[in-house]
Amino acid sequence: MDIAEFVKLSLGRWRSQRSAHHLAFGHFEQVTSIIDIVPLDKDDLEVIKLCKSHEIDPQTVNHPFRMSWEGESDWDEEESFKGTTILVPIPDLDNSQTGRLLRDQGYAETIPSIGNYHITEDGTFVLLTQYERATAEEKIWFVNPNFRLRVSMIKTSEGTGVVTASFSSEIRSLSNNSEN
Amino acid sequence: MDIAEFVKLSLGRWRSQRSAHHLAFGHFEQVTSIIDIVPLDKDDLEVIKLCKSHEIDPQTVNHPFRMSWEGESDWDEEESFKGTTILVPIPDLDNSQTGRLLRDQGYAETIPSIGNYHITEDGTFVLLTQYERATAEEKIWFVNPNFRLRVSMIKTSEGTGVVTASFSSEIRSLSNNSEN
């Protein structure tokens, strides 16, 4: 599994159930959402702009994509949330299993981020992102082409304490495909 | 990481938050529990009995242990549940990263089970267990010595459909240690 294959498997519409464990107080949060992942062109203006903001050569981009989500949390039942972000993989030149991932808006903070990814021998995508006041670690793997799992952790910036651990199970929405 | 190291890291008392995703209906279940994992002697009578029931030589046992749990689910707020099971690793002779795991009571069904485990290069313990009407897959890994994560799946026995995906975050209960 390399980043190109991983992105291709991720494309489409996903129905997501997410549980967040807020560890200090043993709180549970339940989130349901629809996630859309669509491919972008390498010469998409927003992709090029994001590369330039990190002083990275746009020629090194591999399979950029846009992820959008819309859903509801049981912590705020009156409001639905939605968002969108551009993700741009920059594989390392000397290793097909590792690289960097740019995004124009992070999970933990609403600022651009750059993370380091690697893909393990059993096909798990692992992303580590350092923010100013937190570290995020995410693992994503496919149980089958239509079902994927994500485990995320937010740690304090020193990387010692885990603040939140969350789990998403994502089922491909086949009804979306049949509309095509 | 081999099975001996994995079992040693697991010993102690854990405060567990578990979220189960029942996928067919998008239901969430929240479980909180206390889990105690204590070592057993290789010549413990129950360990030997479990080996004999599977026609396995008790001399091949490595670091058997007992796991007990007590907790509450939001699906049945009036009742707490509790249980205990003996787990007996039988490492393969030719590979320190693989083996079988006997237990005297399973998760998915209340019958004895025998599963196959392997430990990945990044230290994740993966257990596959075939039951009569279901297949269970569990991944357990340590974020640090006092924090571990577990992801479990129950699939139909053909292994095609995932019925339930669940996620546990487990924090070592240090207060228990200070009592020693």
Side-chain angles (χ1 to χ4, degrees):
Chain A
M1 175 93 76
D2 63 11
I3 189 68
E5 194 182 344
F6 186 83
V7 172
K8 282 181 200 163
L9 267 172
S10 300
L11 298 176
R13 168 164 285 196
W14 300 87
R15 286 189 295 117
S16 170
Q17 271 187 267
R18 186 162 76 92
S19 293
H21 296 177
H22 300 277
L23 299 167
F25 303 102
H27 283 168
F28 290 86
E29 181 182 0
Q30 300 177 351
V31 180
T32 53
S33 60
I34 297 289
I35 297 172
D36 285 302
I37 300 178
V38 297
L40 294 175
D41 286 334
K42 284 180 69 168
D43 53 6
D44 182 287
L45 283 182
E46 290 184 278
V47 171
I48 291 172
K49 188 176 145 197
L50 186 56
C51 286
K52 288 193 171 162
S53 75
H54 289 287
E55 297 181 351
I56 285 170
D57 179 1
Q59 293 300 319
T60 62
V61 166
N62 190 317
H63 287 78
F65 57 97
R66 172 180 289 281
M67 186 164 78
S68 306
W69 58 90
E70 183 162 3
E72 283 161 18
S73 161
D74 69 338
W75 278 27
D76 187 356
E77 293 182 3
E78 291 174 23
E79 294 253 352
S80 65
F81 62 85
K82 58 192 292 184
T84 186
T85 186
I86 287 176
L87 294 119
V88 178
I90 311 287
D92 290 341
L93 292 176
D94 57 349
N95 186 333
S96 68
Q97 306 305 109
T98 63
R100 290 171 291 169
L101 183 70
L102 316 182
R103 66 178 138 194
D104 69 346
Q105 191 181 31
Y107 282 101
E109 316 204 358
T110 56
I111 52 170
S113 72
I114 180 164
N116 291 292
Y117 73 80
H118 65 274
I119 298 172
T120 67
E121 63 179 359
D122 63 355
T124 302
F125 175 86
V126 182
L127 178 68
L128 303 170
T129 309
Q130 185 84 48
Y131 296 95
E132 197 178 332
R133 291 181 297 279
T135 300
E137 180 180 331
E138 185 161 43
K139 291 188 183 195
I140 308 176
W141 69 96
F142 287 86
V143 177
N144 63 52
N146 296 321
F147 186 61
R148 65 178 208 168
L149 299 176
R150 287 202 282 168
V151 170
S152 309
M153 280 184 290
I154 306 291
K155 305 180 182 183
T156 55
S157 51
E158 298 78 27
T160 48
V162 179
V163 180
T164 306
S166 70
F167 175 62
S168 301
S169 55
E170 304 184 334
I171 299 172
R172 188 182 295 281
S173 177
L174 295 170
S175 58
N176 186 52
N177 291 356
S178 66
E179 289 167 15
N180 296 335
Chain B
M1 175 93 76
D2 62 12
I3 189 68
E5 195 182 344
F6 186 84
V7 172
K8 282 181 200 163
L9 267 172
S10 299
L11 297 176
R13 169 163 284 196
W14 300 87
R15 287 189 294 117
S16 170
Q17 271 187 266
R18 186 161 76 91
S19 294
H21 296 176
H22 300 276
L23 299 167
F25 302 103
H27 283 168
F28 290 86
E29 180 183 359
Q30 299 177 352
V31 180
T32 54
S33 60
I34 297 290
I35 297 172
D36 285 303
I37 300 177
V38 298
L40 294 175
D41 285 335
K42 284 180 68 168
D43 52 6
D44 183 287
L45 284 181
E46 290 186 278
V47 171
I48 291 172
K49 188 177 146 199
L50 186 56
C51 286
K52 287 191 171 163
S53 75
H54 288 286
E55 297 181 351
I56 285 171
D57 179 0
Q59 294 300 320
T60 61
V61 166
N62 191 315
H63 287 78
F65 57 98
R66 173 180 288 284
M67 187 164 78
S68 306
W69 58 91
E70 182 162 4
E72 283 161 18
S73 161
D74 69 339
W75 276 29
D76 187 357
E77 292 182 5
E78 292 174 20
E79 294 254 353
S80 65
F81 62 86
K82 58 191 291 184
T84 186
T85 187
I86 287 177
L87 294 119
V88 178
I90 312 287
D92 290 340
L93 293 175
D94 57 348
N95 187 331
S96 67
Q97 307 305 109
T98 63
R100 289 170 293 169
L101 184 70
L102 316 181
R103 68 177 136 195
D104 69 348
Q105 191 182 30
Y107 282 101
E109 318 205 355
T110 57
I111 53 171
S113 71
I114 180 163
N116 291 292
Y117 72 79
H118 65 272
I119 298 173
T120 67
E121 64 178 358
D122 63 354
T124 302
F125 174 86
V126 182
L127 178 68
L128 303 170
T129 309
Q130 185 84 48
Y131 296 96
E132 198 179 333
R133 290 181 297 278
T135 301
E137 180 180 331
E138 184 160 46
K139 291 188 183 194
I140 308 177
W141 69 98
F142 287 85
V143 176
N144 64 53
N146 297 320
F147 186 62
R148 65 178 208 167
L149 298 177
R150 287 203 281 168
V151 171
S152 310
M153 279 183 291
I154 307 291
K155 304 180 183 183
T156 56
S157 51
E158 299 78 27
T160 46
V162 179
V163 180
T164 306
S166 70
F167 175 62
S168 301
S169 56
E170 304 186 333
I171 299 172
R172 187 182 295 282
S173 176
L174 295 170
S175 58
N176 186 51
N177 292 355
S178 66
E179 290 167 15
N180 296 334

